Amino acid sequence: MIDDAPHRRRNPLNDSWVLVSPHRTKRPWQGQVEAPEPDTTPAYVEDCYLCPGNTRADGVQNPDYDGVWVFDNDFPALLDAGGAPVDDPLLGRAPVAGTCRVICYSRSHNLTMSTLPVAALRNVVDTWAAQHAELSARYDWVQIFENRGAMMGCSNPHPHGQIWATDTVPTEAARKRETQRTWHATHGTAMLADYATREVAEGERVLIATPHWLVVVPWWAVWPFETLIIARDDVASIDALSSAARDDLAHVLSQITRGYDALFSAPFPYSMGWSSAPAGAAPGWRLHAHVYPPLLRSATVRKFMVGYELMAEAQRDLTPEQAADRLRAVTPTEAPA
Ligand code: H2U
């Protein structure tokens, strides 16, 4: 048991620290409980740019797709652009080339990861894997992610995610490549494999443990209900997952997202994304995904990263152990109805 004194916890994966202030949660829980709003969203929306058959902003018509559908982002943040680096200690600049895609999980506008059938989630997993296999042959880093909810900047409730692939390894990924490489050189093991073993032994931050996956509120969580999904098999990239691990993952994704939605009886916003090995990462890299949800006390009361956090260091009151307790209480163990 951690005592109630303020302390800092280290994130060994990106070599950062978070300030934890557990004494501030001594006061009784007074979270607002809002009545769940009835979901009246239709399965097809005429002016949705992701629904089958509709026309996108640039005038292209979507196919009448079924299942998962991927297209090149019409407003990509990256282009296959060239250019020369500018090696300047103050005004440095580097060229970057890349590809951006959008992945629609389903033709139905009103479904989400938490309401999609597990078989449909398995198709999403297979698409992530295929996209990663294709793009990692051309790019050094393939970022698969999903922003859910307007609070997280998602522009459209139609169930979808994105992929940004770059010919360079971005900041956070480069840090994680370095820490995992160093851990492996020092211990001869994968850092996240050792971390998973430790979390299973301690138990108090574990949400879901299956043969292939471990879901925890990590020791170093910054967001109140942040979770980390760790592959328990020795795999570095999503495209290397076995069929059994993919089936298992589809269940796990359904469980986590249904648990999140149950926490405040409302669709839970989040930003989630996969960290497969970048170019030059092996050995020591272990496939994992982060889920960063902003909500703190209710469907409308969110955490802001401001003040001390912007100027100095991330901070939280609710401990990861308390967050794990709350999430465990609402995370379903059974398959969706
Ligand atoms: P978000 O909801 O996470 O913002 O993702 C939607 C993406 O869809 C966004 O990156 C793209 C935006 O550029 N988009 C198109 O490619 N075509 C459109 O017609 C509208 C939006």
Side-chain angles (χ1 to χ4, degrees):
M1 242 344 215
I2 301 294
D3 61 52
D4 285 343
H7 59 276
R8 296 166 77 214
R9 295 192 186 189
R10 180 163 175 266
N11 177 343
L13 196 54
N14 69 3
D15 197 13
S16 65
W17 291 82
V18 53
L19 169 63
V20 187
S21 313
H23 58 293
R24 296 179 65 182
T25 54
K26 278 277 176 65
R27 59 189 187 278
W29 180 255
Q30 291 183 326
Q32 284 165 249
V33 179
E34 282 119 23
E37 289 192 10
D39 186 4
T40 52
T41 317
Y44 170 78
V45 171
E46 222 163 73
D47 61 358
C48 165
Y49 58 79
L50 298 179
C51 276
N54 288 359
T55 303
R56 299 208 299 277
D58 61 353
V60 174
Q61 192 184 13
N62 297 335
D64 184 23
Y65 67 95
D66 212 0
V68 184
W69 173 58
V70 181
F71 66 93
D72 285 332
N73 198 313
D74 300 312
F75 308 98
L78 296 148
L79 299 168
D80 266 325
V86 177
D87 189 13
D88 182 310
L90 290 177
L91 307 181
R93 173 191 164 120
V96 58
T99 290
C100 298
R101 293 179 179 167
V102 178
I103 313 177
C104 295
Y105 302 160
S106 163
R107 62 180 288 120
S108 299
H109 185 87
N110 57 354
L111 294 181
T112 66
M113 249 195 205
S114 56
T115 52
L116 277 165
V118 171
L121 291 174
R122 167 67 203 253
N123 289 339
V124 173
V125 172
D126 284 340
T127 306
W128 285 338
Q131 289 289 319
H132 189 274
E134 181 204 324
L135 290 167
S136 62
R138 283 162 50 204
Y139 295 106
D140 285 0
W141 177 253
V142 180
Q143 184 59 63
I144 294 170
F145 66 97
E146 176 189 347
N147 295 324
R148 183 189 182 199
M151 200 182 268
M152 289 312 276
C154 179
S155 57
N156 183 337
H158 195 110
H160 70 283
Q162 297 193 46
I163 309 173
W164 295 17
T166 48
D167 68 349
T168 48
V169 179
T171 311
E172 182 75 1
R175 255 187 222 137
K176 294 203 281 190
R177 181 173 63 179
E178 192 50 37
T179 57
Q180 291 181 95
R181 187 193 278 152
T182 304
W183 183 280
H184 190 270
T186 312
H187 304 272
T189 50
M191 176 198 284
L192 284 181
D194 292 352
Y195 176 63
T197 304
R198 184 75 181 272
E199 286 292 17
V200 169
E202 298 216 352
E204 59 182 343
R205 285 171 297 277
V206 174
L207 285 189
I208 301 169
T210 73
H212 301 280
W213 299 96
L214 186 73
V215 183
V216 296
V217 177
W219 167 255
W220 55 79
V222 163
W223 294 95
F225 296 97
E226 173 179 336
T227 50
L228 176 67
I229 307 172
I230 306 169
R232 297 180 90 173
D233 301 325
D234 183 15
V235 283
S237 293
I238 196 162
D239 51 299
L241 288 175
S242 66
S243 180
R246 293 179 191 201
D247 277 344
D248 204 1
L249 178 57
H251 279 281
V252 166
L253 290 169
S254 172
Q255 270 178 279
I256 302 175
T257 51
R258 283 182 293 141
Y260 273 142
D261 283 3
L263 190 67
F264 297 129
S265 303
F268 208 78
Y270 57 73
S271 197
M272 77 91 76
W274 285 97
S275 290
S276 290
W285 186 286
R286 175 59 63 91
L287 173 67
H288 59 281
H290 300 279
V291 189
Y292 297 131
L295 294 184
L296 174 62
R297 270 198 289 276
S298 73
T300 51
V301 178
R302 61 162 295 171
K303 174 186 177 66
F304 287 96
M305 288 284 185
V306 293
Y308 186 85
E309 311 195 294
L310 280 184
M311 314 301 157
E313 190 165 278
Q315 185 271 345
R316 62 181 297 137
D317 296 346
L318 181 80
T319 64
E321 295 72 33
Q322 290 167 330
D325 269 351
R326 292 225 171 90
L327 281 173
R328 236 188 335 260
V330 293
T331 299
T333 48
E334 75 289 354

